DNA sequence: TGTCTATGTTGACGTTCATCGAATCAGGTG
DNA sequence: CACCTGATTCGATGAACGTCAACATAGACA
């Protein structure tokens, strides 16, 4: 089981982003396929602990943080690891080991995609 | 039990938005209280059927639609009603009966709040 | 009044989830 | 080597969820 992670954005072979997964929510009714892609992202943020973990990573310097910096959310260490894995599987975070610590960072393309989902609401 | 619904945004008596429920996800780590308020909104959108229903309402003319216009999502009518109720409880939709039909519309302040959560990513 | 249509509600069923303790494993440091 | 950080696994439990069929309700219309 090599590093297999969900990639909610359609990317070309080179890793360049081609198009976000879904249009703005107000543009047109979402198709079943689009919804089945986008819903897991929202679902991943639908847990308070995961939302705090994600926010902790996103607000950390350089949009990355090691687990030791963000694991103070009131649940056990295996549970933290479990939630970080869920966020990774949803494509919202990526992880990288550097020396002793594992660093998590937000997946910027996904964030841009979600921002786009709620665009056209600030008008 | 009068129409009691979640109001994730703090509003003044006049209905003017004072402050969104939560800061941008990148601004600072979310507190437990903020997360417990914001997570249900994401959770409500974390189901494919609900996401499609919400998108159908949001993209409909005037940001409102009667159930008969959006209930073609492949599940039974009671299930549609159930999901619409969930979206209402999460504060994402409001409903109003006009004659025979019940119309749902998006709660604009909440949408603006979620858009703000993902702001500062386009920089 | 009765009947039809459009929705909401209820109860049930099976599934998924969040969480824990405890143990173990893997990689890195000293 | 011992020690640390973090991931993984296992079993277990209680809660929440998605779905449906059946029933109830509310308005429109005759």
């Amino acid at each position: 089981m090599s590093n297999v992670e969900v990639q909610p954005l359609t990317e070309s072979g080179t890793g360049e982003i081609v198009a976000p997964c879904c249009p703005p929510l107000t543009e047109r009714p979402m198709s079943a396929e689009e919804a089945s892609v986008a819903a897991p992202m929202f679902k991943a943020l639908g847990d308070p602990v995961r939302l705090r973990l994600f926010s902790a990573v996103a607000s950390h310097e350089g949009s990355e943080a090691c687990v030791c910096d963000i694991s103070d959310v009131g649940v056990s260490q295996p549970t933290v690891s479990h939630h970080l894995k869920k966020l990774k599987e949803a494509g919202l975070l990526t992880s990288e080991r550097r020396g002793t610590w594992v660093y998590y960072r937000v997946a910027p393309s996904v964030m841009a995609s979600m921002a786009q989902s709620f665009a056209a609401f600030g008008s």
Side-chain angles (χ1 to χ4, degrees), chain A residues 51-65 70 104 106:
Chain A
L51 193 53
R52 291 185 67 194
L53 287 172
F54 182 84
S55 175
V57 172
S59 64
H60 212 261
E61 192 176 357
S63 289
E64 80 170 15
I70 61 176
Y104 281 83
V106 301

Side-chain angles (χ1 to χ4, degrees), chain A residues 7-10 17-42 109-119:
Chain A
Q7 196 58 43
L9 292 189
T10 62
I17 296 176
V18 173
C21 77
C22 301
L25 288 168
T26 57
E27 189 176 297
R28 55 176 172 78
M30 219 173 214
S31 72
E33 291 76 18
E34 291 170 331
S36 65
V37 171
M41 291 190 254
F42 290 105
S109 57
V110 173
M111 293 302 301
S113 173
M114 299 200 76
Q116 178 173 327
S117 292
F118 294 100

Side-chain angles (χ1 to χ4, degrees), chain A residues 42-58 67 69-88 92-93:
Chain A
F42 290 105
K43 191 174 193 174
L45 294 177
D47 180 83
V49 172
R50 282 197 294 268
L51 193 53
R52 291 185 67 194
L53 287 172
F54 182 84
S55 175
V57 172
V67 179
D69 286 330
I70 61 176
S71 58
D72 189 18
V73 286
V75 294
S76 66
Q77 179 264 325
T79 302
V80 169
S81 191
H82 163 74
H83 284 307
L84 288 172
K85 185 181 182 181
K86 284 288 187 81
L87 288 167
K88 229 170 85 172
L92 297 174
L93 292 181

